[in-house]
Amino acid sequence: MVAPDTLRVVRCGGSALCGARAVFSADSKYLLCASGDFVKVYSVNTEETLRLMGGHADLVTGIQLNPHNHMQLYSSSLDGTIKLWDFMDGILIKTFNVGSKLLALYTLASAEDSVFVVIPKNGERDTFQLVSVKLTKGASQDLESKELSVVLDDVGPSMKHIAFGREGAYVVSVKGVNLQVYFFKRKLLNRFSLSTVKTKGDNRFSCVVCHPTEDCLATGHADGKIRLWRNFHHKKEYTYSALHWHHDIVMDLAFSVEGTRLLSGGVESVLVQWHNESSCQKDFLPRLGSPIEYISLSSDGALCCTLHTDNRITIINSNLRFSRSIQGLIKSRDVKTGLVVDPRTKALVLNGEPGHLQFYSLQSDQQLFSLDIVQRQYIHEAGLKQSDLVKVAFSAQGTWLATVEESEEVTDPELQLKLWFYHEEEQSFQLNTRINTPHDNHITDMCFRDMDELGDDSLILVTTGRDCVFKVWVMVEDTDPEAQQSVSWTCDFVGSYHNYQATNCCFSEDGSLLAVSFEETVTVWDSLTWDLKCTFCHPPGNIRKICFGRLTCSKYLIGTTDYGFLCCWNLLTCALEWNAHLNVVVLQPDPLSEHIAAVSWLSKESSLFVFKPNEPRPIYIQRNLCKEKILLAAFVPRDEPEMISSEKYLWLRKSQPFFLTDTQELMTLSTKSLEERLTPSSKQLAVEESLPVTPFSLLLGKHRRQQAQEDIDLGKPVVHNKQEQASPAVKELLHTPAHVLPSASFLCTIFINSLLISKENKSAEEVADEVEMESEKAEDDSDEEDVTAMEQEDTSHMELLGEMPCKLSKSQEKELRRIRKTDYSWISAF
Amino acid sequence: MAAYKPVVVQTCPRLGEKITQDTLYWRGYKTPVQIKEFGAVNKIDFSPAPPYNYAVTASSRIHIYGRYSQEPIKTFSRFREAAYCATYRDDGRLLAAGSEEGSICLFDVSGKAPLRQFEGHTKPVHVVGFLSDKYRIFSGGDDYSSALWDIPSAREIISYSEHTDYVRCGCASKVNADVFITGSYDHTVKLFDARTKSSVMTIEHGHPVESVLLFPSGGLLVSAGGRYVKVWDVLKGGQLLVSLKNHHKTVTCLCLNSSGQRLLSGSLDRHVKIYSTTSYKVVHSFNYATSILSLALSPEDETIVVGMTNGVLNVKHRKPEEKNENSQKKRQPVYRTYMKGKTYMPKQEDFCVSKPVKRVLRKYDKLLRSFQSSKALDAVLEPPIMLHTPEVTVAVMQELHRRGTLRSALAGRDEKQVNLLLTFVARRVIEPRFTSVLVTVADMITDIYHPVVGQSAVVDKQFLKLKEAIGKEIDYQEELLEVLGMMDTLFATFTKKSLEENKSNGVKEIIQTNRSY
């Protein structure tokens, strides 16, 4: 396909998985998840994303299997449509347009052709109602389904707030401290409410589930209690018992298939399994990494899956053993590290789990690995001063990694600068040096002097801090021969400028100059002698970001200020080259070209400007890149330069820009369409291929392989036969005395034809005709010839060899003879 | 799912002396034996033959001590005035010594009266030695001359008067029987060959030479004088290899250990430094009570004997090697139970099931894992942890603070526990690596327990101790700041000067005050 003229903005990762509970397919082989505007199909065994089903225009809020056909899936979205999918093939079957925002979706086996959705009540804000939607039947793909009947009023907006009871006999809804149960058959509505006065804690409902076989309800509460309700048929004699382990809100509950076990999860990121409500016996699966948002079970009860707030899916065995986790771009609380590209793996590196650095592979939309930086147990509790990673820098070859971590405390940030060395044998980063309190106040920026050609000796790390200094760290060889490591890092130089806070630092491409911004001023330092060379400023407004130009534009220094100016200074003349009024939030140079991308944030939309420092006119402008605010950007080098026909997009040739929004969604610009981007492998549901090798399949595979081997062995003699059959022609040619042979021009065609593989009998007949005329004797030989091969090719070969096939039908033979006779008679008649 | 991560205990690298093989080796000496001599000990020499007696020259006597004797086993006291430089011959049977009156005496170790007396020097003879052929003696005297004597005939063979000041040290080559060197106060070391009429090499040391030494190979020469110890390559014509300046007073004596791998130097600054002869770095040093004049090391480094200016002889014996037989015996029993199945080599078709590695958690980690804050704090307040690894205690306190449960862990303790806690805090709060955490802890303790102040004398005392410790630390810090201020003033004047210099060079620079931490 020719690259289309338009550049499209593509969301390529990090979409929130927390729209709805995940759903296992009926055979528990696939896991279906609502991910942003898409529905994703994962293979449970291989953790791969098998399919991405797009079509909704807004967030998907609910997915449910079609109870009447478990190969189909209903999905609801905020765009007001319910879509029916065949998730095995990724085909959209039908779209039902409901008309109002859909907040949750439920299906019931007993309800023939209707589904239940939660919609906002007309005219009232923050009031929702549960309605049943009659799915109209029709041939066309887009259908209007406006036939709504209200089931329950005043329900909660989340799908966790409503549950359908045993065989769809009743529906339960919780909101605030109120619980309501509606019995379909009896058309009875029971309301219960908890007293808010008696209890100390916040006992509002957070979620509700129904027992699959008994009349029993389990509700989770904001104070961490779980209540089990029974006898709720009666308005007065209802009973409930409480289970309490969680110290904070119960996020989700799930009954096992038989109803003997209850699973609960919350912000503690511990999955709790309650065995028996009376004995309070419970099992735990602790340290799942991040708060549990949803729990869902497969229909056979063998697997359980938890969706976490950081967009991770954990699959857990029925015996409460961690099985595997599906993780794409992990959502961290705050991406403080920025988007960094790992030079070794070309993976995006940013904050992951608390205290971890995630390496996210852009090609496979998977997390490559997670590096534990802080190395402390993370306590999931609100109000704690956690320490987290704030800055990350890689050296040019990716051999060194510098990280800065600090705790959230304002007065004593407990700063630590860590330097990690990439260990080739273990294929991971190992801690080399830890520096406690490298600066007296928060570190604002950090960069390596990366010079490929000079090797490790030139490696310098610069950190800037709010304590008004920047520090230069160098590697020193350890003199002690018995020390475990040969090098360590130490401070070499401390520079300051008029006691201003240092905010940014940047090395020029050749590493000779260091630019450090101090509030309103940019200072340029010689990196050999650490002398201050010159200063630039563009008052008013602090410098927000600085970078040097590259390649042909290396004489320019670009800076952006708080007051919305983009300035370009010439380092040779020490003067302002040009400036532009632009509120730049992100300034990102492309490491492989002169281009610099600037993302501005103006009136609730982000715009992208790409320019070269040597000319003030941008070479590319994309207005309204997205509605969200873009916080970070990175250029990821392509493996091979992409062929781009359009002059306008040449800047995309060597590297691809990626943007991270404030909702931690990853976006990129691509000239390719969505279909092209998806690799063919992900288009097929590779059922067999995706299965792991079991001992049985190994056994089977061995057997199959043997067969294949036999086939090959069989195949060989066939080939030999052909050669043997071809040889008589040659033999004949060579062994017949020269004076008996016909002319060479006559023989040539026969010889050449003997080497051809012909399948057409008709032509063979004609040739046979001629051959017969030539030698009658050979005909007799052909009868004696041992012909084992039954293939048509072989017969044709024999024909071409000038031997009458024994396989020719009698009629054909007769015909041939007749022709011969007539021929002769005709000649004699002459 | 991640496993529980244990508390990170931040260990600081131990400052100061590092434990190396050398420190372990040189520390392996018993507490010294002190023997009082009559005067300053100017020479100690070990007999090269067993039982390795040593001759000590002090004042007008030569004492011979046995290896472990504290009393001299023999004394030569036939000197009217001071004796100098009693030296053994290679076989350990003859002893030569110089004297204040200028004569050289040769003694049989078993006899009393001198066998020979060599007269010729007009001034005191401070250095005497045997050449390696055993039949000749070289000497150097305050008459600026050095001479060579024949033992059988007691005659002077040759005399060199090349030095221009007192000759105070010398050494004979072990390789060549004709070569010896002398060092003099005229700042030179001269190498003589008995076959020639004059010195063959002169090395300028730069300071009055107090001691010289030749390596067993004869290729390297070490000279000591002033604060310097210098190593010269004789074979390269006296090229300076390395100059060591590790003493802050005059170096008086030099000595090699038995393997030749280490060089020892004693100095008036009361230190003996031990250098590696490969890197010429100080690997260890000994500290003595007074200035050191002489130093000797017995074969196999069994004994270090040091003579002082105040006449004290300091003898250190090596500790016997510790035998670990007892501990080995304990490990021995039931070989079979331990070895069962361990020697089995899996075959190719075997399917190996590896045992899950059992992670051993410390007690406090186990308690922290189950969120038992108070008990975790109790666990690290146990005396062995609290006394020997205070960083563990502090790390757990920090972890509790991070979890927000430190206050509840500290609260509700009885008198004994509060006492323990306060003792720890008062003792460690002044250590910079613990200060930030322990100040918080102290703050919380005072907060929690201030209502009960006055009820227990023990706790009150600890509170006062804490107050005192913090008060002292504050005073100390103030003093330090004062010193820093003074130093800043000094640095400022210094930078001003250099600025002026730079200006005179026509270079305009902006001076940064660099404060490296």
Side-chain angles (χ1 to χ4, degrees):
Chain A
M1 201 197 274
V2 188
D5 242 349
T6 53
L7 204 58
R8 57 174 68 230
V9 180
V10 183
R11 281 164 203 262
C12 58
S15 322
L17 284 178
C18 293
R21 275 196 192 115
V23 173
F24 279 98
S25 67
D27 53 1
S28 304
K29 272 186 186 164
Y30 309 107
L31 186 70
L32 303 143
C33 272
S35 164
D37 305 351
F38 297 96
V39 178
K40 275 188 179 171
V41 183
Y42 293 101
S43 160
V44 170
N45 287 320
T46 62
E47 304 154 30
E48 274 178 310
T49 313
L50 294 176
R51 192 169 298 286
L52 199 61
M53 299 193 289
H56 283 294
D58 209 335
L59 236 71
V60 178
T61 52
I63 47 171
Q64 294 287 341
L65 287 182
N66 186 353
H68 308 295
N69 181 354
H70 60 249
M71 303 306 256
Q72 290 180 349
L73 177 85
Y74 284 114
S75 68
S76 69
S77 161
L78 286 182
D79 64 358
T81 55
I82 299 171
K83 286 179 195 278
L84 182 65
W85 307 84
D86 181 341
F87 63 85
M88 293 300 284
D89 302 321
I91 299 165
L92 176 64
I93 301 170
K94 274 195 177 117
T95 305
F96 304 99
N97 200 347
V98 181
S100 57
K101 275 188 182 178
L102 308 177
L103 291 147
L105 174 77
Y106 308 91
T107 54
L108 269 187
S110 54
E112 267 302 316
D113 51 356
S114 57
V115 294
F116 297 91
V117 289
V118 174
I119 57 167
K121 200 170 177 179
N122 281 344
E124 286 173 62
R125 278 189 67 207
D126 299 330
T127 337
F128 304 93
Q129 53 190 5
L130 178 72
V131 296
S132 96
V133 180
K134 181 126 171 117
L135 298 176
T136 43
K137 287 191 177 136
S140 73
Q141 218 182 27
D142 292 312
L143 295 167
E144 294 281 320
S145 298
K146 305 266 173 163
E147 227 178 285
L148 308 176
S149 57
V150 177
V151 179
L152 273 177
D153 243 338
D154 194 23
V155 297
S158 163
M159 78 172 299
K160 290 188 279 194
H161 292 162
I162 293 169
F164 283 83
R166 161 178 70 93
E167 288 142 22
Y170 53 90
V171 61
V172 194
S173 143
V174 291
K175 192 187 183 193
V177 290
N178 300 313
L179 174 97
Q180 44 186 343
V181 186
Y182 178 72
F183 296 92
F184 285 108
K185 289 234 174 84
R186 292 194 276 156
K187 298 217 174 352
L188 174 75
L189 183 68
N190 280 358
R191 287 174 197 274
F192 310 99
S193 63
L194 296 170
S195 71
T196 49
V197 189
K198 245 192 341 194
T199 49
K200 288 179 287 180
D202 180 11
N203 60 356
R204 275 179 296 141
F205 289 98
S206 60
C207 53
V208 62
V209 283
C210 296
H211 197 281
T213 51
E214 294 167 30
D215 280 342
C216 174
L217 294 178
T219 57
H221 296 263
D223 57 357
K225 280 193 181 122
I226 299 165
R227 289 196 171 85
L228 288 164
W229 303 70
R230 288 177 190 282
N231 255 349
F232 44 83
H233 301 278
H234 311 286
K235 281 218 152 140
K236 293 271 145 72
E237 288 102 54
Y238 68 91
T239 57
Y240 66 76
S241 58
L243 305 170
H244 197 177
W245 180 84
H246 294 276
H247 73 70
D248 212 330
I249 182 165
V250 180
M251 294 291 267
D252 204 5
L253 293 164
F255 271 109
S256 66
V257 179
E258 308 84 30
T260 49
R261 295 173 295 128
L262 176 68
L263 296 166
S264 68
V267 281
E268 303 89 354
S269 68
V270 180
L271 188 69
V272 188
Q273 176 174 277
W274 308 83
H275 282 282
N276 194 330
E277 50 191 275
S278 54
S279 69
C280 277
Q281 190 192 358
K282 50 191 180 285
D283 292 329
F284 303 103
L285 182 63
R287 293 182 285 278
L288 284 172
S290 48
I292 295 168
E293 184 79 34
Y294 293 103
I295 304 170
S296 44
L297 287 158
S298 65
S299 54
D300 55 0
L303 293 172
C304 162
C305 131
T306 53
L307 247 64
H308 298 260
T309 47
D310 64 351
N311 295 347
R312 187 211 323 252
I313 304 166
T314 310
I315 297 167
I316 293 156
N317 286 345
S318 57
N319 55 356
L320 217 64
R321 283 284 165 83
F322 171 81
S323 169
R324 44 179 60 91
S325 77
I326 299 170
Q327 38 197 0
L329 189 66
I330 295 293
K331 183 178 180 176
S332 55
R333 284 192 303 173
D334 192 3
V335 184
K336 292 174 185 161
T337 58
L339 280 184
V340 186
V341 180
D342 177 18
R344 194 177 291 272
T345 56
K346 303 277 185 296
L348 273 190
V349 178
L350 62 160
N351 280 113
E353 273 181 73
H356 286 66
L357 199 60
Q358 65 169 325
F359 288 68
Y360 170 76
S361 162
L362 292 159
Q363 279 78 32
S364 61
D365 185 27
Q366 267 181 332
Q367 189 183 332
L368 289 182
F369 62 97
S370 179
L371 183 68
D372 188 1
I373 301 289
V374 176
Q375 293 175 333
R376 276 183 181 166
Q377 187 63 43
Y378 187 84
I379 311 291
H380 292 276
E381 198 179 311
L384 289 188
K385 302 267 188 275
Q386 311 279 10
S387 43
D388 206 356
L389 204 57
V390 288
K391 291 281 173 282
V392 167
F394 278 97
S395 69
Q397 302 295 317
T399 45
W400 286 96
L401 164 70
T403 60
V404 175
E405 62 196 65
E406 62 181 32
S407 74
E408 287 166 346
E409 276 170 86
V410 184
T411 49
D412 178 24
E414 280 183 46
L415 282 174
Q416 279 196 354
L417 173 65
K418 282 179 178 168
L419 285 134
W420 307 75
F421 181 69
Y422 189 80
H423 201 274
E424 287 287 350
E425 279 151 34
E426 300 197 3
Q427 295 284 303
S428 69
F429 283 98
Q430 288 189 333
L431 185 61
N432 178 276
T433 308
R434 189 192 68 212
I435 300 159
N436 286 338
T437 332
H439 281 265
D440 294 338
N441 208 331
H442 294 271
I443 287 182
T444 50
D445 201 3
M446 174 164 71
C447 67
F448 270 105
R449 180 169 80 174
D450 42 359
M451 292 158 76
D452 297 346
E453 65 271 18
L454 287 182
D456 269 0
D457 296 339
S458 70
L459 206 60
I460 286 176
L461 178 72
V462 173
T463 54
T464 57
R466 276 195 221 154
D467 55 348
C468 308
V469 294
F470 73 91
K471 291 192 182 183
V472 180
W473 308 87
V474 293
M475 233 184 325
V476 286
E477 300 238 344
D478 222 321
T479 49
D480 192 356
E482 280 142 21
Q484 285 169 349
Q485 52 198 32
S486 57
V487 289
S488 57
W489 288 76
T490 183
C491 184
D492 183 49
F493 177 77
V494 182
S496 64
Y497 182 76
H498 290 231
N499 221 17
Y500 290 137
Q501 288 188 355
T503 49
N504 286 295
C505 60
C506 179
F507 270 105
S508 66
E509 195 186 12
D510 59 352
S512 62
L513 289 178
L514 167 72
V516 182
S517 68
F518 290 94
E519 295 183 7
E520 291 187 358
T521 318
V522 182
T523 56
V524 180
W525 304 73
D526 186 343
S527 72
L528 271 180
T529 56
W530 300 117
D531 291 334
L532 181 63
K533 286 292 173 197
C534 58
T535 59
F536 300 109
C537 70
H538 192 274
N542 289 347
I543 301 292
R544 210 181 256 171
K545 188 89 181 123
I546 47 169
C547 72
F548 277 96
R550 284 181 173 268
L551 305 172
T552 57
C553 303
S554 53
K555 61 178 178 181
Y556 298 103
L557 177 68
I558 316 292
T560 63
T561 68
D562 276 349
Y563 279 79
F565 276 101
L566 180 67
C567 311
C568 177
W569 292 286
N570 191 329
L571 290 168
L572 298 177
T573 60
C574 290
L576 184 71
E577 192 85 3
W578 53 266
N579 69 348
H581 200 298
L582 190 66
N583 182 25
V584 177
V585 281
V586 177
L587 187 70
Q588 185 66 37
D590 181 358
L592 297 179
S593 67
E594 301 95 335
H595 302 108
I596 294 175
V599 179
S600 76
W601 172 247
L602 265 179
S603 61
K604 301 207 168 174
E605 62 172 47
S606 296
S607 310
L608 172 71
F609 299 84
V610 180
F611 61 95
K612 277 189 185 182
N614 55 3
E615 47 186 325
R617 179 196 296 276
I619 56 169
Y620 178 75
I621 303 174
Q622 166 105 35
R623 299 238 178 237
N624 195 6
L625 192 66
C626 67
K627 288 270 175 263
E628 299 98 336
K629 189 173 181 179
I630 286 175
L631 294 180
L632 297 161
F635 276 97
V636 179
R638 294 182 199 272
D639 290 336
E640 45 195 45
E642 200 176 61
M643 298 306 291
I644 287 169
S645 52
S646 172
E647 187 94 343
K648 216 169 142 192
Y649 308 132
L650 269 181
W651 61 279
L652 279 169
R653 217 168 75 85
K654 283 185 180 162
S655 42
Q656 195 176 6
F658 284 89
F659 305 99
L660 197 77
T661 64
D662 50 357
T663 53
Q664 292 193 23
E665 271 189 271
L666 200 63
M667 299 198 301
T668 185
L669 290 174
S670 174
T671 50
K672 290 178 180 174
S673 59
L674 183 72
E675 292 76 44
E676 260 184 295
R677 274 184 58 252
L678 286 173
T679 46
S681 67
S682 73
K683 283 195 167 185
Q684 323 164 342
L685 275 194
V687 181
E688 259 77 36
E689 283 87 327
S690 68
L691 282 178
V693 187
T694 61
F696 184 66
S697 76
L698 273 177
L699 210 67
L700 210 71
K702 208 188 260 176
H703 185 67
R704 277 189 194 148
R705 246 177 285 136
Q706 260 174 8
Q707 253 183 359
Q709 192 66 45
E710 277 163 26
D711 284 348
I712 292 164
D713 290 343
L714 278 175
K716 271 179 187 166
V718 172
V719 176
H720 280 301
N721 273 349
K722 278 181 192 168
Q723 281 167 354
E724 274 164 15
Q725 281 155 11
S727 63
V730 184
K731 228 188 250 170
E732 200 177 74
L733 198 75
L734 294 174
H735 291 278
T736 324
H739 62 275
V740 198
L741 273 177
S743 70
S745 58
F746 181 71
L747 275 174
C748 185
T749 44
I750 303 167
F751 183 66
I752 296 294
N753 279 334
S754 77
L755 300 175
L756 287 177
I757 299 164
S758 159
K759 285 191 178 177
E760 288 167 295
N761 276 328
K762 203 173 122 198
S763 66
E765 270 170 31
E766 282 165 17
V767 176
D769 200 353
E770 282 173 3
V771 169
E772 213 167 349
M773 275 160 62
E774 189 229 324
S775 70
E776 283 250 350
K777 206 176 147 198
E779 199 182 310
D780 305 336
D781 293 345
S782 75
D783 295 329
E784 289 154 33
E785 185 104 17
D786 178 30
V787 184
T788 47
M790 302 301 242
E791 279 111 13
Q792 217 174 15
E793 303 159 60
D794 293 81
T795 56
S796 66
H797 268 292
M798 284 181 291
E799 284 158 13
L800 291 165
L801 288 172
E803 296 151 351
M804 200 56 199
C806 60
K807 261 181 64 213
L808 280 180
S809 62
K810 295 273 180 190
S811 61
Q812 277 174 319
E813 230 170 287
K814 269 181 197 163
E815 178 84 359
L816 282 170
R817 282 175 202 282
R818 193 182 57 77
I819 292 165
R820 202 174 68 182
K821 274 170 190 165
T822 48
D823 257 359
Y824 278 121
S825 64
W826 184 69
I827 291 168
S828 62
F830 245 101
Chain B
M1 193 189 81
Y4 173 79
K5 289 172 204 155
V7 174
V8 185
V9 177
Q10 305 236 339
T11 47
C12 293
R14 208 170 279 260
L15 291 178
E17 216 180 346
K18 271 185 188 159
I19 304 286
T20 58
Q21 288 295 321
D22 274 292
T23 44
L24 289 178
Y25 182 81
W26 293 107
R27 268 187 196 165
Y29 287 97
K30 292 183 199 164
T31 41
V33 176
Q34 308 260 12
I35 301 167
K36 181 73 184 152
E37 290 287 334
F38 293 103
V41 180
N42 61 53
K43 176 78 179 177
I44 302 159
D45 193 40
F46 270 93
S47 162
Y52 308 126
N53 294 334
Y54 55 95
V56 176
T57 319
S59 181
S60 62
R61 285 161 202 234
I62 300 165
H63 287 300
I64 294 178
Y65 290 91
R67 198 165 157 195
Y68 294 110
S69 66
Q70 301 209 13
E71 294 291 315
I73 53 173
K74 198 170 177 69
T75 307
F76 298 98
S77 52
R78 294 293 178 94
F79 298 94
R80 256 174 282 136
E81 284 176 76
Y84 297 109
C85 198
T87 312
Y88 276 103
R89 201 169 75 168
D90 278 354
D91 55 4
R93 290 164 68 180
L94 289 183
L95 193 73
S99 68
E100 184 71 31
E101 54 265 38
S103 63
I104 301 158
C105 297
L106 184 73
F107 298 94
D108 187 345
V109 178
S110 52
K112 273 244 175 228
L115 293 176
R116 297 276 189 283
Q117 231 169 344
F118 307 93
E119 303 287 348
H121 281 289
T122 52
K123 291 266 177 70
V125 178
H126 274 272
V127 52
V128 182
F130 289 91
L131 292 187
S132 54
D133 64 357
K134 300 180 185 174
Y135 306 120
R136 285 180 289 178
I137 289 174
F138 74 89
S139 66
D142 286 358
D143 56 357
Y144 309 167
S145 71
S146 41
L148 205 63
W149 310 84
D150 183 39
I151 295 175
S153 60
R155 280 190 305 108
E156 183 185 282
I157 299 169
I158 192 164
S159 174
Y160 304 94
S161 319
E162 294 193 13
H163 284 294
T164 53
D165 209 331
Y166 299 156
V167 180
R168 281 290 166 90
C169 55
C171 176
S173 165
K174 287 200 171 60
V175 186
N176 191 323
D178 290 317
V179 174
F180 69 97
I181 51 170
T182 51
S184 158
Y185 278 9
D186 64 358
H187 302 191
T188 59
V189 176
K190 282 184 191 287
L191 185 102
F192 297 99
D193 190 329
R195 295 163 294 192
T196 58
K197 295 271 187 223
S198 61
S199 67
V200 284
M201 189 188 292
T202 305
I203 289 163
E204 194 69 37
H205 178 79
H207 296 270
V209 183
E210 296 281 354
S211 181
V212 288
L213 193 71
L214 268 172
F215 270 67
S217 65
L220 292 182
L221 190 153
V222 188
S223 63
R227 293 160 60 193
Y228 295 88
V229 174
K230 292 185 180 180
V231 183
W232 313 83
D233 193 337
V234 179
L235 300 179
K236 274 193 186 168
Q239 193 187 9
L240 180 65
L241 272 186
V242 65
S243 172
L244 307 168
K245 188 189 166 191
N246 294 95
H247 290 283
H248 58 265
K249 278 186 185 168
T250 305
V251 183
T252 52
C253 45
L254 292 172
C255 162
L256 276 177
N257 83 333
S258 53
S259 64
Q261 300 288 310
R262 299 286 181 266
L263 174 71
L264 285 79
S265 69
S267 153
L268 294 180
D269 66 0
R270 302 186 289 112
H271 286 284
V272 170
K273 305 256 176 195
I274 300 164
Y275 309 86
S276 158
T277 53
T278 46
S279 65
Y280 292 106
K281 293 254 163 65
V282 176
V283 293
H284 194 71
S285 92
F286 292 117
N287 204 350
Y288 286 93
T290 40
S291 304
I292 294 158
L293 277 185
S294 53
L295 163 75
L297 207 59
S298 77
E300 304 303 319
D301 303 345
E302 285 299 320
T303 317
I304 300 176
V305 186
V306 173
M308 321 272 190
T309 46
N310 60 356
V312 171
L313 194 67
N314 188 304
V315 186
K316 279 184 186 175
H317 292 289
R318 194 156 190 83
K319 281 180 198 161
E321 286 290 315
E322 280 176 30
K323 285 163 190 166
N324 298 329
E325 282 172 16
N326 289 340
S327 56
Q328 276 177 357
K329 260 182 191 171
K330 271 182 190 168
R331 283 185 204 149
Q332 269 184 356
V334 215
Y335 170 79
R336 216 181 264 170
T337 40
Y338 287 105
M339 293 311 291
K340 206 175 202 173
K342 284 209 174 155
T343 50
Y344 180 77
M345 292 296 288
K347 287 174 197 126
Q348 203 175 3
E349 64 265 26
D350 285 353
F351 186 77
C352 293
V353 180
S354 55
K355 232 192 221 172
V357 183
K358 200 181 172 189
R359 290 174 70 237
V360 182
L361 286 180
R362 303 285 296 271
K363 195 182 170 192
Y364 57 85
D365 268 328
K366 281 183 191 164
L367 292 164
L368 280 176
R369 190 178 60 177
S370 51
F371 291 87
Q372 304 186 45
S373 314
S374 264
K375 281 186 183 167
L377 189 58
D378 287 344
V380 291
L381 283 177
E382 275 166 15
I385 293 180
M386 202 171 79
L387 291 176
H388 300 299
T389 52
E391 62 269 15
V392 173
T393 313
V394 174
V396 169
M397 284 175 174
Q398 191 176 13
E399 174 69 20
L400 289 173
H401 184 48
R402 217 166 56 78
R403 293 179 174 204
T405 51
L406 182 59
R407 182 175 285 271
S408 48
L410 288 170
R413 288 172 183 271
D414 59 16
E415 182 187 2
K416 200 175 149 198
Q417 284 173 316
V418 173
N419 183 24
L420 201 66
L421 205 57
L422 277 171
T423 321
F424 177 77
V425 173
R427 199 170 140 202
R428 301 286 180 182
V429 75
I430 51 169
E431 279 185 43
R433 56 183 172 150
F434 301 144
T435 304
S436 63
V437 182
L438 289 185
V439 161
T440 326
V441 174
D443 210 23
M444 282 187 183
I445 293 174
T446 17
D447 247 20
I448 296 165
Y449 294 103
H450 82 85
V452 295
V453 167
Q455 290 179 14
S456 157
V458 189
V459 172
D460 290 356
K461 208 170 123 196
Q462 291 299 341
F463 268 119
L464 287 176
K465 253 190 196 169
L466 177 65
K467 190 187 158 198
E468 196 186 344
I470 292 173
K472 260 189 192 167
E473 181 66 18
I474 289 170
D475 290 348
Y476 178 58
Q477 292 290 343
E478 272 172 5
E479 257 173 62
L480 282 182
L481 279 176
E482 277 170 28
V483 173
L484 203 65
M486 288 178 217
M487 282 163 75
D488 272 348
T489 331
L490 290 173
F491 283 139
T493 53
F494 176 74
T495 39
K496 203 176 169 189
K497 255 183 210 165
S498 67
L499 183 69
E500 278 160 11
E501 279 167 22
N502 283 336
K503 269 186 183 164
S504 66
N505 289 339
V507 182
K508 193 182 164 192
E509 271 190 45
I510 293 155
I511 298 301
Q512 295 294 322
T513 50
N514 301 353
R515 297 200 316 197
S516 51
Y517 295 92

